[in-house]
């Protein structure tokens, strides 16, 4: 390969990791790296069944316990603070808050280890809009809303490597046949027609559920596409990519509702060359070098002080939650002190994934248990590669924030330096994403395979567009997410529509108003325990997690004020 390392140099450098080849002479120093982030062994403590946990060594009293410090838990804490409640304890399994939205430093360079952007929220997500105003990212100017230019993704935003060169945008548009163009246009028309028949909105609880949506929910996206005669390879690859990107699983796993919702709830789908396609290509998103870790840092800031005395307590594995006569008893394992703590609270917000909540909530309601049995979660692996300088490039579209290879099973990479204002070349981090789907073997491999198993395939596919990739690589870090997000498989929407609205929510005007005309509950609770997690929307995006947490906080505030039944 001109201008870069040859294939034999790559194999020597990577030690044949994941490639099944060996015997080449070393040509460069070994690339250092390893796993970082989520502590699997802590979460798996709950799977040790039976285990005799010791009696609580210490007991504490608090107004509200928030179990889990992902986006939903942090949003619940913010909602409590805005409601005048600051007597709370946020209990987090890991050492850092944020769940799958964390960021980190690699060689002094900020980068994401999970979610990396936030679309501009629409009017169906007023709570998210209010957060952006609070953070100075959104303001009213001359009668219209404007966003912080530094946080808006800089141009160019996306590009696709196809047939030896880069094109703008991710929908394959190079040298299209008449048949492919016709299928693009047909799919665009179908999405537009469904938008007219039903209301698709984010967050999910703000929309109603029509028979059209429930029919889409009854089959996979792949089945629905086949019924429509949409079999073009380029269209199918792009739609599969979109599903893997947002839901962690492909079009053969997610429901047709989820596949349509991806487009219909935001900017639609537009065939190349149309006026709408040009407009949609400019649809902005908010992003930062550390991804949504930027938002996490600001949501957690009010609660982070001395971990021994402040309201955010890391290294706490929730073992048991029970609504008792004296209050809600929450038992946790303190990892640092190797002891059980008991927190007694007037209210508990369970901001945990449904499969965890079902394990720890004593006498869990039937709807929690049934949801835990039905839900599937996608596994993800995220790789961060530290480079000492920018890379050489192939012809075509200029380097972008999001860079994807056509036909790849990976999701490409984002460039953490893309938002940097300094024009001088310097070190950067490329963040590679790979969704592994909901199959148990993928999660098992994620737990058991060494980090080099993932490193090789992730980087190998980019040697074509970046032949000098390895000569500038300095460190590689991998983050594993075993249960990263709920996958909206067929039947999820129908199941959500059967969940009960919390009786207490009837007394909260904001929740009662949002409930009007909707079939997905805006808030879930039983007694003094309420639930907040994106799982209760059936899929994981920031707006869903944040709104779920905000609503659970509203419920807790009203209950503590004695305005709702317990």
């Amino acid at each position: 390969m001109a201008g870069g390392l040859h294939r034999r140099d790559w194999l020597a450098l990577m030690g044949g990791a994941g490639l099944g080849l060996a015997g080449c002479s070393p040509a460069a120093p070994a690339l250092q790296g390893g796993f970082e982030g989520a502590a699997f062994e802590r979460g798996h403590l709950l799977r040790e069944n039976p285990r005799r946990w010791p009696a609580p060594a210490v007991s504490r009293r608090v107004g509200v316990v928030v179990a889990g410090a992902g986006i939903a838990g942090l949003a619940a804490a913010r909602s409590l603070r805005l409601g005048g409640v600051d007597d709370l304890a946020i209990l987090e399994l890991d050492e850092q808050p944020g769940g799958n939205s964390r960021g980190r430093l690699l060689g002094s360079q900020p980068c994401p280890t999970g979610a990396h952007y936030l679309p501009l929220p629409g009017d169906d997500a007023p709570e998210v809009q209010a957060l952006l105003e609070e953070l100075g990212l959104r303001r009213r100017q001359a009668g219209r809303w404007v966003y912080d230019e530094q946080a808006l993704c800089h141009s160019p935003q996306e590009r696709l490597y196809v047939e030896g060169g880069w094109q703008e945008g991710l929908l394959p548009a190079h040298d299209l046949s008449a048949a492919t163009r016709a299928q693009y246009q047909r799919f665009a028309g179908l999405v537009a027609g469904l938008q007219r028949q039903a209301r698709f909105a984010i967050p999910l609880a703000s929309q109603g559920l029509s028979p059209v949506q429930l029919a889409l929910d009854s089959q996979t996206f792949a089945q629905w596409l086949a019924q429509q005669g949409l079999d073009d390879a380029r269209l199918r690859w792009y739609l599969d990519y979109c599903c893997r990107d947002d839901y962690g699983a492909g079009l053969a796993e997610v429901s047709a509702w989820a596949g349509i919702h991806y487009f219909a709830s935001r900017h639609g789908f537009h065939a190349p060359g149309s006026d709408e396609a040009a407009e949609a290509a400019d649809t902005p998103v908010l992003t930062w070098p550390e991804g949504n870790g930027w938002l996490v840092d600001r949501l957690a800031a009010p609660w982070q002080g001395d971990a021994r005395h402040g309201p955010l307590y890391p290294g706490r594995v929730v073992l048991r939650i029970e609504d008792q006569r004296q209050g809600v008893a929450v038992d946790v394992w303190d990892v640092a002190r190797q002891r059980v703590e008991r927190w007694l609270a007037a209210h508990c917000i369970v901001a945990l994934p449904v499969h965890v909540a079902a394990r720890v909530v004593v006498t869990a309601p039937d709807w929690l248990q049934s949801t835990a049995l039905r839900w599937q979660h996608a596994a993800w692996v995220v790789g961060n590669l530290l480079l000492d300088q920018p890379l050489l490039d192939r012809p075509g579209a200029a380097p972008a924030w999001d860079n994807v290879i056509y036909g790849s099973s990976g999701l490409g990479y984002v460039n953490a330096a893309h938002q940097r204002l300094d024009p001088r070349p310097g070190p950067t981090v490329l963040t590679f994403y790979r969704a592994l789907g909901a199959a148990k073997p993928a999660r098992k491999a994620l737990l058991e395979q060494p980090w080099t198993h993932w490193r090789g395939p992730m980087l190998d596919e980019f040697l074509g567009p970046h032949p000098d990739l390895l000569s500038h690589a300095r460190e590689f870090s991998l983050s594993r997410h075993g249960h990263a997000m709920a996958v909206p498989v067929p039947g999820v929407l129908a199941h959500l529509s059967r969940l009960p609205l919390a009786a207490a929510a009837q007394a909260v005007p904001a929740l009662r108003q949002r409930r009007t005309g909707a079939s997905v509950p805006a808030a879930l609770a039983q007694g003094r325990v309420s639930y907040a997690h994106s799982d209760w929307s059936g899929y994981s995006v920031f707006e869903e997690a944040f709104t779920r947490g905000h609503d659970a906080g509203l419920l807790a505030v009203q209950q503590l004020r004695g305005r709702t039944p317990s």
Side-chain angles (χ1 to χ4, degrees):
M1 300 180 181
L5 295 180
H6 291 278
R7 179 75 174 179
R8 62 179 179 272
D9 300 322
W10 154 250
L11 292 173
L13 178 60
M14 301 306 291
L19 304 178
L21 298 171
C24 302
S25 300
L31 184 59
Q32 300 299 312
F35 290 122
E36 67 89 30
F40 279 94
E41 65 278 3
R42 296 183 185 179
H44 290 174
L45 287 174
L46 295 175
R47 294 165 55 178
E48 296 181 18
N49 189 24
R51 171 165 179 159
R52 294 185 180 276
W53 294 99
V58 62
S59 294
R60 306 167 186 255
R61 284 190 172 271
V62 70
V64 181
V65 162
V66 179
I71 294 300
L74 294 173
R78 173 182 175 272
S79 184
L80 290 165
R81 174 172 57 83
L82 294 177
V85 177
D86 56 9
D87 179 22
L88 74 158
I90 310 168
L91 309 177
E92 167 58 29
L93 177 147
D94 284 307
E95 295 304 315
Q96 298 295 328
N100 62 10
S101 292
R102 294 188 183 98
R104 65 158 299 181
L105 292 177
L106 186 63
S108 78
Q109 301 298 310
C111 57
T113 61
H116 59 283
Y117 70 97
L118 173 64
L120 301 189
D123 291 339
D124 292 310
E127 296 81 10
V128 180
Q129 291 180 332
L131 171 68
L132 299 184
E133 292 175 52
E134 178 184 312
L135 298 180
L137 296 171
R138 184 177 189 260
R139 69 184 188 280
R140 179 75 74 172
Q141 180 176 306
R144 64 187 183 93
W145 289 107
V146 296
Y147 288 83
D148 182 358
E149 291 287 344
Q150 294 187 52
L152 288 172
C153 185
H154 301 172
S155 294
Q157 185 169 315
E158 300 172 329
R159 64 175 182 168
L160 181 70
Y161 188 72
V162 55
E163 297 180 5
W166 291 101
Q167 66 148 65
E168 292 184 8
L170 299 184
L171 177 65
H174 175 71
D175 196 23
L176 297 180
S177 68
T180 296
R181 288 187 180 276
Q183 291 215 12
Y184 282 180
Q185 291 166 356
R186 174 163 169 70
F187 182 70
L190 288 168
V191 171
L194 289 167
Q195 285 178 304
R196 291 190 292 270
Q197 295 177 54
R199 184 167 178 267
F200 294 82
I202 300 175
L204 186 59
S206 65
Q207 72 170 44
L209 294 182
S210 71
V212 169
Q213 290 166 314
L214 291 172
L216 291 170
D217 176 61
S218 68
Q219 58 189 319
T220 67
F221 195 21
Q223 290 170 334
W224 182 85
L225 290 170
Q227 291 173 7
Q228 310 305 317
L230 296 171
D231 57 2
D232 180 79
R234 293 195 175 200
L235 176 63
R236 284 288 191 111
W237 174 84
Y238 175 71
L239 298 179
D240 188 70
Y241 164 85
C242 292
C243 291
R244 289 183 288 122
D245 186 51
D246 241 30
Y247 307 128
L251 52 81
E253 294 182 80
V254 307
S255 70
W257 169 81
I260 297 299
H261 183 75
Y262 178 94
F263 301 100
S265 63
R266 296 204 188 276
H267 47 70
F269 178 92
H270 309 289
S274 66
D275 293 338
E276 294 84 358
E279 182 178 340
D282 295 329
T283 302
V285 299
L286 298 166
T287 188
W288 303 266
E290 64 270 48
N292 287 6
W294 190 93
L295 295 166
V296 168
D297 290 345
R298 281 144 187 83
L299 284 169
W303 314 111
Q304 286 183 309
D306 186 336
R308 294 171 298 176
H309 307 293
L312 178 55
Y313 295 84
R316 263 62 173 195
V317 183
V318 176
L319 306 175
R320 190 171 185 272
I321 299 173
E322 184 176 11
D323 195 350
Q324 302 175 341
R325 178 180 298 180
Q326 312 94 311
V328 184
V330 182
D331 289 349
V332 301
W333 178 250
D334 182 341
V335 174
R337 297 173 179 82
Q338 292 289 288
R339 68 183 187 185
V340 174
E341 296 177 341
R342 170 161 293 178
W343 294 81
L344 194 62
H347 192 98
C348 178
I349 296 175
V350 184
L352 303 170
V354 292
H355 68 283
V356 178
R359 282 181 179 269
V360 301
V361 175
V362 177
T363 61
D366 290 342
W367 48 263
L368 171 56
Q369 296 288 4
S370 64
T371 304
L373 290 173
R374 175 180 286 272
W375 259 218
Q376 300 179 39
H377 287 80
W380 284 69
V381 59
V382 180
N384 278 298
L385 177 67
L386 175 65
L387 300 172
D388 61 7
Q389 66 180 56
L391 299 172
L392 296 175
D393 213 11
R394 293 299 190 188
W401 168 66
D402 195 5
N403 307 262
V404 179
I405 294 182
Y406 173 70
S408 170
S409 60
L411 296 170
Y413 70 80
V414 295
N415 188 339
H418 192 70
Q419 296 299 102
R420 193 163 56 197
L421 298 178
D422 188 346
R424 295 172 297 179
T428 188
V429 176
L430 305 184
T431 305
F432 299 82
Y433 291 87
R434 190 161 290 232
L436 306 181
K440 289 184 178 179
R443 189 173 298 110
K444 187 173 186 289
L446 192 62
L447 180 64
E448 296 178 353
Q449 292 289 351
W451 72 279
T452 50
H453 173 84
W454 308 101
R455 176 190 62 182
M458 270 188 168
L459 301 187
D460 186 31
E461 65 183 8
F462 278 94
L463 286 180
H466 299 306
D468 60 336
L469 177 70
L470 299 172
S471 61
H472 296 298
R474 294 296 174 262
E475 188 177 350
F476 195 76
S477 173
L478 278 159
S479 301
R480 295 174 291 180
H481 303 275
H483 300 268
M485 56 175 60
V487 178
V489 298
V492 160
L493 203 62
H495 180 81
L496 289 172
S497 70
R498 294 191 291 268
L499 297 179
L501 176 68
Q506 303 286 357
V508 183
L511 299 181
R512 190 168 61 242
Q513 182 179 8
R514 191 178 306 133
R515 172 68 180 176
T516 302
S519 298
V520 174
L524 293 158
Q526 185 177 55
R528 290 170 290 191
V529 177
S530 56
Y531 296 84
H533 196 275
S534 62
D535 275 7
W536 294 109
S537 295
Y539 72 110
S540 177
V541 296
F542 183 93
E543 301 98 312
E544 298 288 358
F546 187 86
T547 305
R548 291 283 172 186
H550 179 86
D551 291 352
L554 284 181
L555 273 181
V557 169
Q558 296 297 324
Q559 192 176 93
L560 291 170
R561 290 176 177 171
R563 298 180 184 176
T564 64
S566 60

